[in-house]
Amino acid sequence: MNDRTVISFENIKIACSGCNLVTLCLPMGLDPDDVEQLNKIIKRSRPLHRGDHLFMESDRFNYLYVVKTGSVKTYAPNEDGGEQVLGFHLPGELIGLDAIEEGRHHCSAKVLETSAVCEIPFSQFVELSSTIPSLQHQMYRLLSREISHDEEMLALLGKKNAEERLADFLLSLSQRFKSRGFSPFDFYLSMSRHEIGNYLGLAVETISRLFTRFQDEGLLKVERKHIQLVNIEGLHVILRREQREENRRQIT
Amino acid sequence: MNDRTVISFENIKIACSGCNLVTLCLPMGLDPDDVEQLNKIIKRSRPLHRGDHLFMESDRFNYLYVVKTGSVKTYAPNEDGGEQVLGFHLPGELIGLDAIEEGRHHCSAKVLETSAVCEIPFSQFVELSSTIPSLQHQMYRLLSREISHDEEMLALLGKKNAEERLADFLLSLSQRFKSRGFSPFDFYLSMSRHEIGNYLGLAVETISRLFTRFQDEGLLKVERKHIQLVNIEGLHVILRREQREENRRQIT
DNA sequence: AGTGAGGGTTGATCCAGATCAAGCTAGTTT
DNA sequence: AAACTAGCTTGATCTGGATCAACCCTCACT
């Protein structure tokens, strides 16, 4: 992960059964035969480049996408050219789940760095899942996970202050890198300060100041996009300490 | 809807096929035979009273719930006794979807007024849905809708100011009452100012001041829990006008 | 009718984080 | 290597909404 420009193009086209994401992704917990059936309907894209869109808001919904390598951001554009960043998606994460109900995308998805994705034709998927109960159940679980995650973000935006938000964000990234076999201490951000701020409901300047402060406090080292978490426990303490203060002040 | 204390207890036990929520709820779009199968596994509760819990955070997940009459709030309690209100649920809305993945509830659900709910044993539901493709698809849609809704809330908490949030909240309630056959102009709030503020990421005092201001501006009449929307278009303008201003200022 | 408690309202003050304004840096283009 | 550009940082100032502090209803219970 130290040299993030090295991307293994050989395994982009690899089948689900041989994909190292099999424990995170849709095939999780499926029988090999079922994985193979799923594998057959999945299309694997050529590598996409920074700025490419998987889909745009209001596009017709035909595919679910899974990040295979790289990272993708989803965002809801609003009339005036502004946007709300809804999420940053790492390998193994499904994109487009909010489009199922209306058959039309509610957000746009833009590639943050050279990335590969798997495309799952949704109508074929629905057919297949009606014949494979464990696939259906796995899909329920993934949809449910997305709901849980969004609800955690609601609590973050509704209640946490700026430093808690950034600490939470960094710890979440760290955790997700870890479960994908990358270093949880040393990674590169594929998104800009601006995008982080937008995602966390904060101004760019606030993000910048917080990075500086966290570095001064010895919590991390930051050099542009390169982040090294020096004191992960310290970041956890930020979340917990503020909770104890709230305790005293009796805030809801 | 003007006298909200009148609740028809006769039809609480009514089957799905005769329930007036059939167009909003799980059975939407199902064949009558399939509705009947679904109906068989659903339990209908005795009326619940203000303050009763459907479930508490970290309870094992066994049932999905649908509000039949009345209203329910879901909230994520945090260690210190504070909470984040996640949603207010009206008849026909499913509760507990965030618990599917881990088999454990991530939030608590508390009844806001005398209410009736349907309980759907999830394991039986999963079995049934694997034999009824249209039920499975409907479940995907409802999960997807929940994700869309949460994402809209993320945009609200991330970008909108206090008056936009309250206007949005009132318009959403109005819309939901309307699609349930109640007046979209004249309704009672079943939640406190405190709960509204918590939900919208604002202080109680701010909610109170905004109600007063909206009333002074002739947008609505408010008398404790009783709300009459006098100028719905005016509320829409609040959302749009602020967007135009942002336009000028070039905010993201 | 009196008392108490849990909302709700209103006013005064405060502050975290936004906004405004420069300047800086690393890449890219010419 | 000069000129541009986009992204980032830093400082100064401003402000929307939080917080603090009374006070006021309404209703439930004696």
Side-chain angles (χ1 to χ4, degrees):
Chain A
M1 200 51 197
N2 281 340
D3 189 353
R4 73 209 171 94
T5 63
V6 173
I7 291 173
S8 168
F9 285 104
E10 287 125 51
N11 57 15
I12 280 180
K13 291 261 170 193
I14 211 164
C16 289
S17 55
C19 178
N20 57 356
L21 296 170
V22 78
T23 55
L24 293 163
C25 187
L26 260 175
M28 186 176 93
L30 263 59
D31 289 341
D33 289 355
D34 296 337
V35 174
E36 187 43 36
Q37 285 199 266
L38 177 60
N39 184 53
K40 272 190 208 141
I41 68 168
I42 293 182
K43 297 176 193 166
R44 287 167 187 86
S45 74
R46 297 262 98 235
L48 301 167
H49 300 290
R50 176 169 177 76
D52 291 349
H53 274 90
L54 296 184
F55 52 80
M56 305 283 276
E57 193 228 5
S58 84
D59 280 357
R60 258 204 81 197
F61 165 62
N62 294 311
Y63 299 93
L64 290 174
Y65 300 86
V66 181
V67 182
K68 201 166 172 63
T69 65
S71 53
V72 174
K73 89 167 175 185
T74 46
Y75 62 100
N78 44 320
E79 308 65 37
D80 52 26
E83 63 186 47
Q84 169 69 40
V85 173
L86 296 171
F88 301 109
H89 305 273
L90 300 186
E93 294 175 346
L94 266 156
I95 302 178
L97 296 173
D98 57 349
I100 294 173
E101 194 208 355
E102 298 208 340
R104 205 160 280 286
H105 285 288
H106 287 190
C107 61
S108 303
K110 190 191 268 192
V111 172
L112 289 171
E113 62 190 314
T114 304
S115 300
V117 301
C118 297
E119 303 180 359
I120 306 170
F122 187 66
S123 55
Q124 286 181 255
F125 174 81
V126 168
E127 254 177 71
L128 188 62
S129 79
S130 72
T131 68
I132 305 179
S134 59
L135 180 59
Q136 181 199 149
H137 199 187
Q138 171 66 356
M139 186 64 177
Y140 287 159
R141 275 193 297 264
L142 291 176
L143 284 155
S144 171
R145 178 196 292 183
E146 187 71 15
I147 294 169
S148 290
H149 175 261
D150 286 349
E151 288 175 352
E152 275 171 41
M153 278 304 291
L154 289 182
L156 180 139
L157 291 177
K159 295 281 170 300
K160 298 190 180 181
N161 67 21
E163 68 176 4
E164 292 171 283
R165 291 182 199 195
L166 187 61
D168 192 298
F169 173 71
L170 291 170
L171 289 172
S172 154
L173 268 189
S174 169
Q175 179 51 50
R176 285 151 77 204
F177 282 129
K178 186 178 177 185
S179 65
R180 281 158 184 79
F182 301 125
S183 169
F185 310 115
D186 186 315
F187 48 85
Y188 285 83
L189 300 173
S190 57
M191 69 294 288
S192 68
R193 303 284 193 269
H194 190 93
E195 288 166 322
I196 296 172
N198 186 307
Y199 178 59
L200 298 176
L202 299 169
V204 203
E205 295 93 330
T206 304
I207 301 298
S208 185
R209 282 185 243 272
L210 283 172
F211 270 130
T212 307
R213 203 169 97 206
F214 282 178
Q215 177 160 257
D216 291 348
E217 291 171 351
L219 294 169
L220 48 76
K221 283 182 193 165
V222 51
E223 196 199 348
R224 311 210 105 230
K225 307 273 192 191
H226 183 195
I227 305 287
Q228 290 170 279
L229 302 186
V230 175
N231 179 1
I232 289 207
E233 182 47 27
L235 289 171
H236 281 290
V237 169
I238 286 181
L239 294 177
R240 284 202 298 277
R241 181 192 28 167
E242 309 269 329
Q243 280 164 5
R244 262 179 272 141
E245 280 173 24
E246 279 184 13
N247 217 349
R248 276 172 236 138
R249 282 192 252 136
Q250 188 80 341
I251 290 169
T252 308
Chain B
M1 200 51 197
N2 280 340
D3 189 353
R4 72 208 171 93
T5 62
V6 172
I7 292 172
S8 168
F9 285 105
E10 287 125 49
N11 58 14
I12 280 180
K13 293 260 171 194
I14 212 164
C16 290
S17 56
C19 178
N20 56 355
L21 296 170
V22 79
T23 55
L24 294 163
C25 187
L26 259 175
M28 187 176 91
L30 263 57
D31 289 342
D33 288 353
D34 295 336
V35 173
E36 187 43 35
Q37 286 200 265
L38 177 61
N39 184 55
K40 274 191 206 140
I41 69 168
I42 293 182
K43 298 176 190 165
R44 286 165 189 88
S45 74
R46 298 262 97 235
L48 300 167
H49 300 290
R50 177 171 174 74
D52 290 348
H53 273 91
L54 297 183
F55 52 81
M56 304 283 275
E57 192 229 2
S58 83
D59 279 358
R60 261 204 78 195
F61 164 63
N62 295 311
Y63 299 93
L64 290 173
Y65 298 85
V66 182
V67 183
K68 201 166 172 66
T69 66
S71 53
V72 174
K73 88 166 175 185
T74 46
Y75 62 100
N78 45 321
E79 309 65 37
D80 52 25
E83 65 186 47
Q84 169 69 41
V85 174
L86 296 171
F88 301 110
H89 305 274
L90 300 186
E93 294 174 346
L94 264 157
I95 302 178
L97 297 174
D98 56 349
I100 294 172
E101 193 207 355
E102 298 209 339
R104 204 161 281 287
H105 286 287
H106 287 188
C107 62
S108 303
K110 192 191 267 193
V111 171
L112 289 171
E113 62 189 316
T114 305
S115 300
V117 300
C118 297
E119 303 181 0
I120 307 170
F122 187 66
S123 55
Q124 285 181 257
F125 173 82
V126 168
E127 255 177 73
L128 189 62
S129 79
S130 71
T131 68
I132 306 178
S134 58
L135 180 58
Q136 182 200 148
H137 200 186
Q138 170 67 355
M139 185 64 177
Y140 288 158
R141 276 194 295 265
L142 291 176
L143 284 156
S144 172
R145 176 195 294 183
E146 188 70 15
I147 294 169
S148 291
H149 174 261
D150 287 349
E151 287 175 352
E152 276 171 40
M153 277 305 291
L154 289 182
L156 180 138
L157 291 177
K159 296 279 169 301
K160 299 191 179 178
N161 68 20
E163 69 176 3
E164 292 171 283
R165 292 183 198 195
L166 188 61
D168 191 297
F169 173 72
L170 291 170
L171 288 172
S172 153
L173 268 187
S174 169
Q175 179 50 50
R176 285 150 77 204
F177 282 129
K178 186 178 178 185
S179 64
R180 281 159 185 78
F182 302 125
S183 168
F185 310 115
D186 186 316
F187 48 84
Y188 284 84
L189 300 173
S190 57
M191 70 295 287
S192 68
R193 303 285 193 270
H194 190 93
E195 288 166 323
I196 295 172
N198 186 306
Y199 178 59
L200 298 177
L202 299 170
V204 203
E205 294 92 330
T206 304
I207 301 298
S208 185
R209 283 185 244 272
L210 282 173
F211 270 129
T212 307
R213 203 169 98 206
F214 283 177
Q215 178 161 256
D216 291 348
E217 291 170 352
L219 294 169
L220 47 78
K221 283 184 193 165
V222 50
E223 196 200 347
R224 313 211 101 227
K225 307 274 190 189
H226 184 196
I227 305 288
Q228 290 171 278
L229 302 186
V230 175
N231 179 1
I232 290 207
E233 181 48 27
L235 289 171
H236 281 289
V237 168
I238 285 182
L239 295 177
R240 284 202 298 275
R241 180 195 30 171
E242 309 269 329
Q243 281 165 4
R244 263 179 271 143
E245 281 174 24
E246 279 183 14
N247 219 350
R248 276 171 236 140
R249 281 191 252 137
Q250 188 80 339
I251 288 172
T252 308

